Amino acid sequence: MLGSSRSDTHPLADMSKFEGVAWSRDYDHTGHYDGGSSPTTDNYHDRDVFGREEGHDIKYKTLSWQIVSILMIAEIVSNGMLSLPSSLATVGMVPGLILIIFLGMFAAYTSVLLVRFKLRHPEVHNMGDAGKIMFGFVGREVFSFGTLLFAVCLAGGQMLSGQIALTTLSDHAICNISFTGVFCAATFLLALPRTFDNLGWVSIASVGSILVAGIVGMVGAGIHPVQDRVVVAARSSDFFTAFFSITNPVFAYCGHFMFFALMSEMKRPQDAIKAAYTLQGFATSYYAIFAAVTYGFIGSAVLSPSFSSLEIVWSKAAYGIALPNLLIAGSLYIHTAAKIIFIRLFRHSRHLHEHTLIGWGVWVFLIALMSAIAFVLAVGVPIFNYLIGITAALFAAWFTYGIAGMFWLHDAYHDGDGVREWWRKPFNTFMSVLTIVIGLFICVAGLYVTIRAIVEAYADGTITAPFSCG
């Protein structure tokens, strides 16, 4: 993290290195780094991955902060929320809601750190680029691999959720693998546009569908509540049971790995902070309301996904309305995974901005490859649901929480006065270290409970066979 060199001079000793900088809140009147938002330089668009796009056939930097908000909500607020009521059933209403709200606020804080890091480093397009800045070649490859694996696994998870929805709607009309294949093909088609703006407008339907589906689910639970249900304010349980349950709200906020890619396609990347606050405000409020209402009417018998706990008519209605969200969220993950490789191959190449046969051929191939891998993982790996938990613990815990603290420590060290800058800003330093510690805890504990769950699942025979129709 601290590997790059820095000057031993005061930050303002050589004013020539700051030519063209429009100063913001990053430096106080003495020139010390205050941990605020990043300065915007005149050469920002020369340094970012897409450069200046005048005259290009394919223009990427077209997103407004409002559309980025929609894309983020469509990506994060999806099938993950359907597991939140079961988390409340495990730990109780009060601690469950406290956890959801706390994690939402903490995710908002780490979002700010990610946005500031991107503004200071326009060349960053994905977590791999950020890893290169802090840890060199190894950081780039590890973070790139983690982003790819996590995005593909999340896409596979969306395909499985789509399969559950289609199976419920059709009363198990055909083999589950066929439904997953149908969802995979649709995901492939939706992910084909080269830029996020073409996915932005369809994502409006995605957000609308999951919002309405959640309302339908809550209404269905209220009209047909479970008789003699058990709803408790707090419930004690062992560490394994409790943490395995709270991984649901932890990973319900794990969309930070897409922030850099979305910011790279914004017209005004400095407005990304508005999108981050909009996302976390909506997600936290909606998660808390949906989880509390559903658990309150269904009680400890609530399933995951919670729509499966509803009366069949309401279950079908909720799943049917949610289908656009499940589909579009999966296409966003596939698009992001493919673009990481595409940018690696064609950064600073004409194939990035022109309609060339090679550019489009490689792009379509990558979308097809990512979709195929997600499909094979979803239906061919017996422990796929646990694999998502492992990748989330290994990477999402860092992408959403831990690494954000590293971003601030890195920039404060190199842009300020080294270690002395950390001592000058004790609150920022404490919060940054805290995010690293929390990321480490979630990573280690998440790996422990997921691996233990795999062992227990094999022992009791609940793990299905590969490519099973059941």
Side-chain angles (χ1 to χ4, degrees), residues 32-206:
H32 290 125
Y33 181 76
D34 73 356
S37 59
S38 304
T40 302
T41 61
D42 291 342
N43 69 345
Y44 180 96
H45 292 288
D46 294 320
R47 294 169 56 201
D48 82 350
V49 63
F50 299 117
R52 298 188 183 274
E53 297 189 311
E54 295 85 355
H56 287 308
D57 296 333
I58 302 174
K59 293 181 173 61
Y60 294 88
K61 294 185 286 190
T62 59
L63 298 176
S64 65
W65 73 264
Q66 292 91 341
I67 292 297
V68 171
S69 300
I70 293 294
L71 285 162
M72 287 180 172
I73 292 172
E75 174 247 330
I76 290 180
V77 184
S78 189
N79 65 347
M81 78 171 196
L82 302 183
S83 62
L84 297 180
S86 65
S87 296
L88 267 61
T90 300
V91 301
M93 180 76 80
V94 175
L97 288 177
I98 291 175
L99 184 67
I100 290 172
I101 295 170
F102 168 77
L103 288 172
M105 295 173 63
F106 201 58
Y109 170 72
T110 56
S111 297
V112 173
L113 298 183
L114 264 70
V115 169
R116 290 174 178 169
F117 187 80
K118 165 64 176 175
L119 293 176
R120 296 197 68 78
H121 305 277
E123 66 275 17
V124 170
H125 174 263
N126 54 66
M127 286 291 179
D129 294 333
K132 180 181 179 181
I133 289 174
M134 295 190 296
F135 304 111
F137 172 80
V138 174
R140 179 187 187 182
E141 300 308 320
V142 170
F143 285 3
S144 294
F145 173 77
T147 305
L148 280 171
L149 179 61
F150 190 50
V152 170
C153 285
L154 287 177
Q158 295 296 124
M159 292 177 191
L160 279 184
S161 297
Q163 170 248 297
I164 293 172
L166 292 175
T167 299
T168 301
L169 290 169
S170 67
D171 294 320
H172 301 267
I174 59 176
C175 174
N176 288 347
I177 295 178
S178 299
F179 280 132
T180 311
V182 169
F183 224 76
C184 175
T187 299
F188 163 77
L189 292 174
L190 274 176
L192 278 176
R194 288 267 289 271
T195 60
F196 274 118
D197 64 327
N198 289 313
L199 287 168
W201 297 106
V202 297
S203 292
I204 295 175
S206 172

Side-chain angles (χ1 to χ4, degrees), residues 243 393 439-449:
F243 193 84
L440 178 63
F441 172 74
I442 294 172
C443 176
V444 175
L447 284 174
Y448 164 73
V449 299

Side-chain angles (χ1 to χ4, degrees), residues 200-347:
W201 297 106
V202 297
S203 292
I204 295 175
S206 172
V207 174
S209 75
I210 198 64
L211 176 62
V212 175
I215 294 173
V216 168
M218 289 185 284
V219 171
I223 293 177
H224 299 285
V226 173
Q227 300 301 318
D228 302 321
R229 61 191 176 276
V230 177
V231 178
V232 298
R235 187 191 300 274
S236 62
S237 59
D238 60 272
F239 174 81
F240 169 74
T241 303
F243 193 84
F244 190 76
S245 175
I246 67 175
T247 54
N248 294 326
V250 167
F251 299 135
Y253 293 102
C254 62
H256 285 41
F257 72 98
M258 286 183 59
F259 275 22
F260 290 147
L262 288 169
M263 283 186 66
S264 295
E265 299 193 26
M266 290 185 69
K267 290 180 288 189
R268 287 176 48 85
Q270 60 267 41
D271 288 341
I273 196 65
K274 300 176 185 177
Y277 284 142
T278 301
L279 161 68
Q280 302 302 347
F282 178 88
T284 303
S285 303
Y286 190 53
Y287 283 166
I289 294 170
F290 178 80
V293 172
T294 304
Y295 171 56
F297 283 119
I298 297 178
S300 59
V302 66
L303 301 174
S304 179
S306 61
F307 287 165
S308 297
S309 301
L310 304 174
E311 291 286 324
I312 189 61
V313 173
W314 289 95
S315 178
K316 288 184 176 182
Y319 274 129
I321 296 170
L323 277 175
N325 173 266
L326 302 177
L327 182 59
I328 293 169
S331 68
L332 287 171
Y333 297 137
I334 293 295
H335 181 100
T336 301
K339 187 164 281 182
I340 290 172
I341 302 176
F342 190 79
I343 294 296
R344 176 76 73 93
L345 292 173
F346 296 124
R347 190 187 290 245

Side-chain angles (χ1 to χ4, degrees), residues 153 155-157 159-160 163 180 372-382 384-385:
C153 285
M159 292 177 191
L160 279 184
Q163 170 248 297
T180 311
I373 293 174
F375 171 78
V376 171
L377 287 175
V379 301
V381 178
F384 176 70
N385 286 327

